[in-house]
Amino acid sequence: RFTQWVNRIFVLIGSVLVAAMMLVTVREVFVRYVLDDPSRWAMDGSRFALVYVFFLAIAPALESGHHVSVDLFDPLLPRAVRRYQQPAAYLLVLFFAAVLFYYVSAVTLEVFDTGEMTYSVVPVQLKYIYCIGPIGVGEFWLTALVGFIRACQGAPLLARATETPSGA
């Protein structure tokens, strides 16, 4: 329940950021092409927000089943092996998330130590941009852990159990 709650908050924040990026882009198109007065901050703000959107979206994507997956070989596996497929896949995701967390955290800590600034029109300390990385990847790892536990118990994955198939 905790990971579901945090993922909903992440989706909400990410959605607000995407909407803000869209509004800034529409505004920028208007002032650039109609008023011939482009701003300097729009591109930088959108790039910084996109970093947040990515790290806020990876855990909810995993939970909802909208992450990248390969199911090409599923029919080739014997039925007896298929029940171990989901737990094994989640183990791999847990390993990937742990490695990603290590590297993202190392870079983030380095940026906090050095106090580096962005190379952009709008100078911002990188720590304010990079701080979302370990938070998003940590939630990604927790979501994978919940998925692994549910797969080991044979319980349906939460998002897939409640999804309704959409039309083609």
Side-chain angles (χ1 to χ4, degrees):
R1 292 190 198 281
F2 175 75
T3 56
Q4 286 180 318
W5 178 77
V6 172
N7 285 339
R8 276 184 275 182
I9 299 294
F10 279 16
V11 167
L12 177 67
I13 295 169
S15 299
V16 168
L17 287 173
V18 168
M21 287 169 39
M22 182 195 66
L23 290 174
V24 166
T25 302
V26 168
R27 179 210 169 272
E28 186 61 19
V29 167
F30 178 77
V31 297
R32 177 180 296 264
Y33 295 109
V34 175
L35 303 178
D36 196 27
D37 186 27
S39 64
R40 296 176 181 247
W41 58 268
M43 182 68 160
D44 291 339
S46 293
R47 282 189 299 179
F48 300 155
L50 190 57
V51 172
Y52 273 77
V53 169
F54 171 78
F55 283 109
L56 290 171
I58 56 177
L62 179 64
E63 180 186 41
S64 67
H66 290 94
H67 58 287
V68 175
S69 64
V70 179
D71 56 3
L72 178 67
F73 301 107
D74 290 354
L76 302 175
L77 293 173
R79 288 202 184 275
V81 175
R82 285 187 199 168
R83 67 180 173 164
Y84 301 110
Q85 184 179 4
Q86 282 292 330
Y90 275 107
L91 271 178
L92 291 173
V93 172
L94 282 166
F95 176 73
F96 168 74
V99 171
L100 184 61
F101 183 80
Y102 172 78
Y103 283 106
V104 168
S105 297
V107 170
T108 303
L109 288 173
E110 181 180 330
V111 166
F112 268 81
D113 285 342
T114 63
E116 278 185 71
M117 302 291 285
T118 59
Y119 296 106
S120 60
V121 175
V122 180
V124 176
Q125 284 191 336
L126 282 174
K127 67 182 179 182
Y128 296 118
I129 300 166
Y130 283 28
C131 66
I132 193 62
I135 296 168
V137 176
E139 178 63 12
F140 178 65
W141 188 87
L142 283 174
T143 302
L145 180 63
V146 169
F148 173 72
I149 292 168
R150 292 187 62 79
C152 286
Q153 293 171 342
L157 302 176
L158 295 175
R160 293 190 183 132
T162 58
E163 277 184 5
T164 57
S166 59

